[in-house]
Amino acid sequence: MTEAEPPAEVRAAFTRFSGDRTTMSTDQFRLFLIEYQGQDEASAAEDADRIVKEALLQRKENDGPSPDDEGGICLDEFFRYLLSTDLNGPIHCKVHHDMNAPLSHYFIFTGHNSYLTGNQLSSDSSDAPIIRALQRGVRVIELDMWPNSAKDDILVLHGRTLTSPVTLIKCLKSIKLYAFVKSPYPVIITLEDHLTPELQAKVAEMVTETFGDLLYYPNGEGLVEFPSPESLKHRIIISTKPPKKYLETKGSKDKEIIAVLEKGSSVDDKERLLDTELDEKSDEGQDSDEARSSDQKRPEYKRLITIHAGKPKGSLTDALKVAEDMVKRLSLSEYELEKVAASNGTDVVRFTQKNILRIYPKGTRVTSSNYKPNIGWMHGAQMVAFNMQGYGKPLWMMQGMFRANGGCGYVKKPDFLMQEGPNKEVFDPKRTKEVKMNLKVKVFLGDGWSLDFSRTHFDIFSPPDFYTKLYIIGVPADAAKRKTRVIEDDCFPVWNEEYIFTITEPELALLRIEVREYDLYDTDDFGGQTCLPISELRPGIRAVPLYDRKGEKYPSVKLLMRFQFV
């Protein structure tokens, strides 16, 4: 075989909707889109007319006019349409969520240490990874600000490490240039501030001059409710700790370290302090005398802050208490989230109904690895911050979640995460719910490896032996995995295998797909992956594009699959 051939189910669908003719008319194709693919009538009519016209034009250009042309598409053209990831992709490609709710009602595509090109200890700082993140739709960019050696300019770097710096102004200019190339919805810059008041004033000047009218900030001291993504389209907003809180945080942090050392530190205490130290969230560089003498410079910097941030003081339970007069952002390490979710999961959910919760990788992830994001999402955390320069299964999951809602970087949280019951009870991630959906998935075939890989990439002496793995990721009750059989010696594997998954919370569920090439004597080779939000799946036969380990789309590699909700 030199190319994939239509499977039996595709042939049967063509025969059924063409009325057993050699071509399918525009009206017949429209009925196929409505009845088999689940499209609405308006979009089906528009798509059918356009696709059939384009197919006929292409045929005429290739073969010239034919007296036998019946004005419809043939089986091969029908199959080519089904295999087109551009025309027949697996998920909705437009923004379709309500974008008028407060920011706290959305999961937001969030980066961690967005300026690093590699590991957390010795890689270069640059605006290049910031640009790449924005081009992929990331909406939250994190910058760690430190003074230069002369104390007269601001550098961005991971402090107390061997990472090389990049200037703040270069990062700001790149953010301005690329902020809205992928999405019109707001970019949030989270600043980790290790500056003197004089340099804070310089930051305020840089930010206002660079962003101009793109910059949004409120008139008052704080917000009772966050604005909506819709109201902030094409705007840039700042999130950091108000300057006056640095001295309080520094003092309380010193007292906490002393107390831990005096009483004999537990493993939990050590882990939390290590996260804080290595992730550079401490608030040093705030000299108290200097700060008091420069109060007049604070308001300009402080008033630019739209989302007031903080880290927990005292117990995590106290930090999660909801204030009625002001909303805020709270940052927890992945370890702190796991700890509080185990004992007070509903408190986290309640906090995130009005406030923003940011989760960041623990400080020991020096290789820029990531953690499983779904524990944050199922507790309502809006900003699950990831090292975007890395790769691996957690990052594939993150990329999958934010393919939802047209890839705009904002995904509306499920209603059940925002609701209270008659007794003010909220969603409990630990409680198993009843099944809401049965998802039937069929894997027909794969195509494109012969175009995107060399002939000997997988095996030197024979064609590859592919198999596909399917995973459901979401709340614990929904976790599942399946695997197809291995198809030996075939660049165009045909599986025709079907599986049923039961889903209790489809809005939080992802379908992760990975193709491997079986190797008898070594680790199975990687053949492509994707991750799809189940709530966004389009029913019917779909072409599913596959991506490499870093999340870059292969030009040709794809699977032909069918999705049914039963």
Side-chain angles (χ1 to χ4, degrees):
M1 289 176 58
T2 57
E3 61 181 20
E5 295 183 350
E9 190 166 321
V10 169
R11 294 176 182 274
F14 182 85
T15 299
R16 172 186 162 193
F17 286 92
S18 68
D20 207 16
R21 296 161 62 92
T22 56
T23 59
M24 185 184 292
S25 69
T26 301
D27 282 343
Q28 290 168 334
F29 186 50
R30 177 181 60 81
L31 281 176
F32 166 78
L33 295 178
I34 294 170
E35 295 181 12
Y36 206 96
Q37 301 289 84
Q39 281 190 229
D40 62 84
E41 292 203 18
S43 67
E46 181 181 338
D47 287 351
D49 186 62
R50 173 175 52 84
I51 290 162
V52 171
K53 283 181 179 177
E54 287 176 359
L56 292 176
L57 182 62
Q58 186 68 43
R59 190 193 308 164
K60 189 176 291 186
E61 288 177 355
N62 293 340
D63 304 332
S66 169
D68 299 324
D69 197 334
E70 299 181 27
I73 56 174
C74 66
L75 174 61
D76 286 344
E77 291 162 338
F78 178 69
F79 183 47
R80 279 201 295 273
Y81 160 75
L82 290 177
L83 268 180
S84 169
T85 58
D86 293 330
L87 298 175
N88 188 43
I91 60 175
H92 300 283
C93 57
K94 294 181 180 178
V95 174
H96 59 97
H97 294 180
D98 175 14
M99 303 301 285
N100 291 294
L103 289 173
S104 56
H105 290 224
Y106 299 84
F107 299 127
I108 310 173
F109 204 179
T110 301
H112 170 257
N113 289 353
S114 305
Y115 50 87
L116 287 180
T117 57
N119 69 63
Q120 303 287 308
L121 297 181
S122 61
S123 65
D124 293 334
S125 300
S126 168
D127 64 332
I130 295 171
I131 293 169
R132 283 195 297 272
L134 292 169
Q135 289 173 329
R136 285 189 170 187
V138 172
R139 297 290 84 193
V140 183
I141 299 295
E142 182 185 30
L143 304 177
D144 286 82
M145 304 186 302
W146 293 82
N148 66 351
S149 56
K151 310 288 186 188
D152 62 356
D153 200 5
I154 301 102
L155 301 177
V156 173
L157 72 154
H158 199 192
R160 296 199 202 89
T161 68
L162 299 176
T163 56
S164 66
V166 60
T167 60
L168 174 64
I169 190 64
K170 186 174 185 179
C171 294
L172 296 179
K173 287 180 177 179
S174 293
I175 290 171
K176 180 183 179 181
L177 283 173
Y178 291 90
F180 306 110
V181 295
K182 174 70 174 177
S183 167
Y185 292 99
V187 167
I188 302 169
I189 304 175
T190 60
L191 299 176
E192 294 298 335
D193 178 352
H194 308 272
L195 304 175
T196 63
E198 283 76 16
L199 288 180
Q200 289 174 351
K202 188 166 185 174
V203 170
E205 184 180 343
M206 284 183 183
V207 166
T208 51
E209 287 184 1
T210 302
F211 296 139
D213 292 340
L214 295 176
L215 186 66
Y216 169 87
Y217 51 91
N219 294 322
E221 281 287 306
L223 297 170
V224 177
E225 183 178 70
F226 291 117
S228 70
E230 188 66 32
S231 70
L232 294 173
K233 283 175 86 169
H234 296 104
R235 304 299 291 272
I236 295 171
I237 62 179
I238 303 297
S239 177
T240 188
K241 294 177 184 176
K244 69 178 183 181
K245 292 191 176 179
Y246 280 97
L247 298 179
E248 301 167 8
T249 307
K250 173 66 175 150
S252 64
K253 183 172 181 292
D254 289 344
K255 290 176 184 176
E256 179 185 6
I257 293 172
I258 292 168
V260 167
L261 293 175
E262 285 178 346
K263 74 180 181 181
S265 50
S266 67
V267 173
D268 287 355
D269 291 329
K270 285 180 179 177
E271 179 74 18
R272 185 156 65 91
L273 290 173
L274 183 61
D275 284 347
T276 303
E277 287 297 319
L278 290 182
D279 201 54
E280 293 302 319
K281 307 306 177 189
S282 61
D283 305 306
E284 300 188 5
Q286 306 299 318
D287 179 84
S288 57
D289 293 333
E290 191 175 16
R292 279 194 292 271
S293 67
S294 305
D295 279 344
Q296 72 274 15
K297 296 182 180 179
R298 287 166 175 249
E300 182 65 20
Y301 179 77
K302 181 179 176 182
R303 77 185 179 93
L304 299 181
I305 303 170
T306 296
I307 302 175
H308 287 218
K311 284 185 67 69
K313 296 177 184 177
S315 71
L316 292 177
T317 305
D318 290 339
L320 292 168
K321 288 180 179 176
V322 178
E324 296 298 326
D325 58 339
M326 184 177 173
V327 290
K328 64 180 179 180
R329 169 173 71 82
L330 178 68
S331 286
L332 300 177
S333 73
E334 60 174 288
Y335 173 78
E336 289 173 316
L337 174 66
E338 289 174 2
K339 184 178 177 181
V340 74
S343 58
N344 300 86
T346 54
D347 289 343
V348 181
V349 174
R350 185 174 281 105
F351 177 84
T352 59
Q353 290 182 337
K354 285 186 64 177
N355 300 281
I356 288 176
L357 180 60
R358 175 179 172 272
I359 311 301
Y360 58 89
K362 60 185 179 181
T364 51
R365 292 189 180 276
V366 295
T367 61
S368 294
S369 62
N370 288 299
Y371 51 100
K372 291 182 180 179
N374 47 315
I375 185 173
W377 294 329
M378 73 176 73
H379 286 87
Q382 295 88 349
M383 296 182 178
V384 179
F386 261 38
N387 296 307
M388 297 296 172
Q389 73 274 30
Y391 58 89
K393 294 169 187 176
L395 188 56
W396 302 344
M397 293 159 60
M398 176 67 68
Q399 292 165 346
M401 169 62 88
F402 288 99
R403 289 189 177 108
N405 201 27
C408 75
Y410 286 81
V411 174
K412 187 81 159 48
K413 295 202 292 188
D415 288 342
F416 62 77
L417 281 173
M418 306 304 301
Q419 294 167 341
E420 281 190 344
N423 298 315
K424 296 199 179 237
E425 68 271 19
V426 296
F427 174 73
D428 184 353
K430 291 181 182 177
R431 188 176 301 165
T432 301
K433 310 299 186 299
E434 61 184 39
V435 173
K436 293 180 182 176
M437 172 195 296
N438 289 306
L439 172 64
K440 188 182 288 187
V441 178
K442 187 166 187 176
V443 186
F444 289 112
L445 55 83
D447 187 26
W449 288 282
S450 61
L451 298 174
D452 294 346
F453 292 84
S454 70
R455 187 173 181 178
T456 58
H457 177 86
F458 296 105
D459 284 312
I460 296 177
F461 301 109
S462 65
D465 310 314
F466 288 122
Y467 65 93
T468 299
K469 298 192 290 186
L470 307 175
Y471 301 83
I472 301 294
I473 298 157
V475 299
D478 293 343
K481 60 182 177 180
R482 303 286 188 273
K483 187 175 107 173
T484 69
R485 71 190 187 280
V486 176
I487 302 297
E488 296 183 354
D489 299 334
D490 202 332
C491 287
F492 306 95
V494 177
W495 292 284
N496 284 323
E497 295 186 25
E498 189 171 72
Y499 309 95
I500 295 180
F501 300 98
T502 57
I503 312 291
T504 62
E505 301 296 357
E507 297 95 333
L508 293 176
L510 300 170
L511 173 63
R512 191 171 78 78
I513 304 166
E514 186 174 351
V515 174
R516 289 272 174 178
E517 197 273 335
Y518 176 74
D519 194 317
L520 182 61
Y521 302 107
D522 203 348
T523 303
D524 291 352
D525 295 319
F526 176 81
Q529 60 82 24
T530 191
C531 197
L532 303 171
I534 284 177
S535 61
E536 299 269 324
L537 287 177
R538 302 167 69 199
I541 299 173
R542 302 293 174 184
V544 178
L546 297 186
Y547 299 76
D548 66 16
R549 292 180 184 274
K550 292 188 177 181
E552 298 293 337
K553 184 179 174 182
Y554 287 122
S556 309
V557 175
K558 70 197 82 171
L559 297 176
L560 189 68
M561 304 179 70
R562 188 192 67 215
F563 305 109
Q564 289 178 294
F565 303 105
V566 294

